[in-house]
């Protein structure tokens, strides 16, 4: 009986030419977004590879130079890209993609693709993800808003019920029909996406797992809207009323609540401007984080600790000048690292707080939960960006430590006149970055995952309950 209901509903949906037109429009937009995303991702990959190669070449070919002076010139490292970015660019285009590595300073990522915007510009841009998040729910509403109400208006629901067909049978038949039509309409686009990503080099296990998890997440998201559509169709007396209510709900979920949540998060947790952050760091470098510790005093205390660690505290004039200068450089670096780490971590925590506040708003809109989860699985959310910049900073400390050690160990009486050549630059360990596993994405977005699951269970509960109490006549 479920099969009979399923086939009957599929036939009725297929006969509606307007809905086929809407499905074709969504398909075309998805294809265009995929091709655009693939082009952008390919361009970003090529730019990163060229920039990385150029930075590495400049480093090893810089000629004879004092090691610490070379630290002032520094080098650059670049955030990786992956093919999933073509599906969901997330907030990556608003975040810097390169970080300058230099002595005495921890730099924020720079060279973002987009200009500065309000907050994190969490609403995103035109992409496959935006089509799936915003337009596919409209397609589901258009396909399913009359599944119950239209039959009630025609009087066929009363005839079917008089034959002894149970409401649960009708519910599952209609649900499967709606799901099958959505799958049929999106399957060509899905195959194109998979083909494009595969040609871009997306065949590694981590990327495939990320895409598979992303697909399952979107399936849960679509099922949520499908269940809400069936609920409204069963509860409201007319198809027109169901359509109006569902479109209004769609606007609330996709346009109003995400924007309000973003603005509220900015108001609750404002971020300092780059100029303001630079002023605060500059003041702290001179007077400490609390404004009560003089830089020279703090550095002298660190020098004493470092000399004690190396049993040099009581050696007096026996210590070589380059050793003293090397210890001074290490002490200054330790003081500066402490200051920069404090302010950068504080900034990162503030941004994380903004994101967490928006995530809480996911209980009011499934789009918010799905958007966060989608970007995380694509590796384009702030958590992945922070993972990269933290690893980059750890390497910067290793780099500067290596340069200062070379100066302290080998400069001798030449002191600042001491120089090293090309052979030394090649001994610096290169920056190597492994992107986190899909488990990192799920862990960082566990709350969004739970909220999406609650939406799925809750919406199906409502739809099933409404089906059990559906009115036979208007």
């Amino acid at each position: 009986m479920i099969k009979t209901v399923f086939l009957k509903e599929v036939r009725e949906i297929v006969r509606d030419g307007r809905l086929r037109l809407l499905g074709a429009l969504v398909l075309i937009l998805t294809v265009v977004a995929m091709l655009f995303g693939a082009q952008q991702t390919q361009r970003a990959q090529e730019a990163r590879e060229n920039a990385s190669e150029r930075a590495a070449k400049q480093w090893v070919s810089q000629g004879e130079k004092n090691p610490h002076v070379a630290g002032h010139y520094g080098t650059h490292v670049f955030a990786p890209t992956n093919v999933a970015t073509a599906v969901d660019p997330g907030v990556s285009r608003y975040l810097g993609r390169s970080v300058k590595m230099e002595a005495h300073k921890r730099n924020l990522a720079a060279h973002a693709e987009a200009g500065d915007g309000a907050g994190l510009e969490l609403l995103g841009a035109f992409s496959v993800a935006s089509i799936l998040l915003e337009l596919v729910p409209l397609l589901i509403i258009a396909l399913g808003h009359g599944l119950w109400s239209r039959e009630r208006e025609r009087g066929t629901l009363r005839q079917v019920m008089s034959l002894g067909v149970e409401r649960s049978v009708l519910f599952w038949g209609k649900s499967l029909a709606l799901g099958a039509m959505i799958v049929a309409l999106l399957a060509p686009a899905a195959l194109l996406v998979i083909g494009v990503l595969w040609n871009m080099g997306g065949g590694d296990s981590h990327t495939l797992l990320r895409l598979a998890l992303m697909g399952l997440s979107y399936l849960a998201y679509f099922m949520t809207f499908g269940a809400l559509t069936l609920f409204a169709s069963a509860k409201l007396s007319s198809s027109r009323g169901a359509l109006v209510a569902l479109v209004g709900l769609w606007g609330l979920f996709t346009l109003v609540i995400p924007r309000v949540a973003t603005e509220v998060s900015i108001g609750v947790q404002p971020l300092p401007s780059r100029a303001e952050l630079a002023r605060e760091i500059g003041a702290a470098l001179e007077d400490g984080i609390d404004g009560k510790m003089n830089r020279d005093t703090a550095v002298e205390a660190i020098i004493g600790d470092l000399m004690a660690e190396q049993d040099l505290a009581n050696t007096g004039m026996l210590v070589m000048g380059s050793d003293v200068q090397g210890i001074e450089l290490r002490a200054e670096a330790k003081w500066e690292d402490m200051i920069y780490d404090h302010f950068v971590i504080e900034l990162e925590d503030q941004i994380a707080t903004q994101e967490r506040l928006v995530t809480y708003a996911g209980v009011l809109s499934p789009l918010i939960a799905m958007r966060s989860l989608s970007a995380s699985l694509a590796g384009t959310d702030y958590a992945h960006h922070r993972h990269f910049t933290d690893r980059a900073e750890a390497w910067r400390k290793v780099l500067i430590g290596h340069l200062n050690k070379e100066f302290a160990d080998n400069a001798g009486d030449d002191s600042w006149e001491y120089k090293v050549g090309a052979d030394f630059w090649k001994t610096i360990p290169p920056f190597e970055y492994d992107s986190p596993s899909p488990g990192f994405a799920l862990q960082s977005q566990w709350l969004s995952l739970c909220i999406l699951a609650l939406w799925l269970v809750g919406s199906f509960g409502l739809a099933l309950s409404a089906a059990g109490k559906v009115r036979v006549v208007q």
Side-chain angles (χ1 to χ4, degrees):
M1 186 60 70
I2 292 177
K3 179 180 178 181
T4 301
V5 175
F6 167 79
L7 293 175
K8 174 257 183 187
E9 297 294 348
V10 167
R11 281 195 297 270
E12 289 198 357
I13 293 174
V14 170
R15 287 170 183 167
D16 194 331
R18 293 173 301 174
L19 299 183
R20 291 201 301 270
L21 178 62
L22 180 60
L25 178 61
V26 172
L27 174 61
I28 292 171
L29 288 174
T30 303
V31 170
V32 172
M34 183 67 242
L35 295 177
F36 175 76
Q39 181 189 38
Q40 294 293 99
T41 301
Q42 193 69 37
R43 185 182 302 168
Q45 287 177 334
E46 293 175 356
R48 178 185 181 276
E49 291 172 0
N50 292 336
S52 297
E53 182 179 348
R54 185 166 60 252
K57 184 176 180 180
Q58 288 176 345
W59 177 259
V60 298
S61 62
Q62 59 184 320
E64 293 188 351
K65 192 177 296 181
N66 181 276
H68 185 72
V69 172
H72 282 273
Y73 283 91
T75 186
H76 288 81
V77 297
F78 301 88
T81 57
N82 66 83
V83 296
T85 307
V87 176
D88 190 345
V91 296
S92 61
R93 65 189 298 267
Y94 300 97
L95 301 172
R97 309 304 296 163
S98 68
V99 183
K100 185 177 181 180
M101 306 282 101
E102 61 179 316
H104 303 297
K105 188 176 183 181
R106 176 176 180 174
N107 292 299
L108 298 177
H111 302 111
E113 296 177 20
D116 294 336
L120 288 178
E121 286 292 343
L122 296 177
L123 295 183
F126 178 66
S127 65
V128 174
S130 67
I131 300 298
L132 298 178
L133 286 169
E134 299 171 14
L135 294 188
V136 172
L138 272 181
L139 176 62
I140 294 172
I141 290 170
L143 290 173
H145 73 277
L147 285 176
W148 286 108
S149 56
R150 189 177 294 118
E151 283 205 67
R152 186 165 49 239
E153 292 169 343
R154 295 171 179 171
T156 56
L157 182 59
R158 178 172 53 186
Q159 295 175 0
V160 172
M161 297 293 293
S162 67
L163 297 175
V165 180
E166 296 181 358
R167 287 177 170 85
S168 61
V169 171
L170 293 173
F171 171 77
W172 290 113
K174 293 174 184 295
S175 299
L176 292 173
L178 179 59
M181 293 308 301
I182 294 299
V183 170
L185 289 171
L186 295 181
L191 292 175
L192 174 68
V193 169
I194 293 172
V196 171
L197 296 181
W198 189 270
N199 288 331
M200 291 174 61
D204 62 280
S205 59
H206 275 190
T207 301
L208 291 176
L209 181 55
R210 282 178 177 271
L211 293 173
L213 292 172
M214 192 184 299
L216 291 175
S217 300
Y218 274 107
L219 178 61
Y221 177 69
F222 297 152
M223 290 172 66
T224 297
F225 269 95
L228 291 174
T229 300
L230 289 169
F231 167 73
S233 183
K235 273 293 184 182
L236 299 177
S237 58
S238 67
S239 298
R240 179 177 296 179
L243 179 60
V244 171
L246 286 167
V247 170
L249 194 65
W250 171 85
L252 189 67
F253 284 165
T254 62
L255 303 177
V256 178
I257 294 177
R259 172 62 68 184
V260 171
T262 301
E263 295 302 326
V264 168
S265 70
I266 294 172
V268 172
Q269 179 59 77
L271 301 180
S273 66
R274 283 187 177 247
E276 182 181 353
L277 181 63
R279 286 195 299 269
E280 291 178 352
I281 292 175
L285 286 171
E286 296 301 322
D287 301 313
I289 295 171
D290 58 2
K292 299 177 181 179
M293 176 62 72
N294 178 265
R295 175 191 178 98
D296 294 337
T297 303
V299 172
E300 285 297 328
I302 297 173
I303 289 174
D305 292 339
L306 292 176
M307 294 188 72
E309 289 177 7
Q310 301 180 36
D311 296 326
L312 298 175
N314 300 314
T315 54
M317 299 297 292
L318 297 177
V319 182
M320 293 181 61
S322 62
D323 288 333
V324 174
Q325 290 173 336
I327 292 174
E328 290 175 349
L329 290 175
R330 289 177 57 195
E332 289 178 356
K334 192 170 182 178
W335 168 254
E336 292 157 352
D337 290 345
M338 181 184 67
I339 299 298
Y340 274 100
D341 288 349
H342 171 82
F343 283 97
V344 172
I345 291 173
E346 183 178 59
L347 175 65
E348 291 174 336
D349 290 342
Q350 289 172 341
I351 296 175
T353 298
Q354 280 191 351
E355 289 203 325
R356 188 163 55 251
L357 291 172
V358 173
T359 299
Y360 292 152
V363 299
L364 302 177
S365 168
L367 179 138
I368 293 177
M370 185 61 234
R371 184 181 58 195
S372 299
L373 190 58
S374 176
S376 182
L377 289 171
T380 56
D381 65 341
Y382 186 74
H384 282 76
H385 175 78
R386 184 172 183 176
H387 186 275
F388 163 73
T389 55
D390 286 347
R391 299 302 184 277
E393 172 59 15
W395 183 77
R396 185 192 72 86
K397 292 174 181 176
V398 171
L399 169 67
I400 300 304
H402 197 77
L403 296 174
N404 288 341
K405 186 176 185 302
E406 170 65 20
F407 175 82
D409 291 347
N410 300 310
D413 295 334
D414 292 337
S415 188
W416 293 105
E417 299 301 322
Y418 174 69
K419 296 180 180 180
V420 294
D423 291 340
F424 172 74
W425 308 129
K426 296 177 182 178
T427 66
I428 303 294
F431 175 68
E432 296 179 352
Y433 176 72
D434 294 324
S435 298
S437 68
F440 174 84
L442 296 177
Q443 182 180 6
S444 63
Q445 292 295 334
W446 67 269
L447 183 56
S448 295
L449 186 62
C450 291
I451 291 175
L452 183 63
L454 287 175
W455 269 104
L456 178 61
V457 173
S459 61
F460 257 90
L462 288 173
L464 194 55
S465 175
K469 302 174 183 178
V470 66
R471 289 176 296 174
V472 177
V473 295
Q474 288 182 297

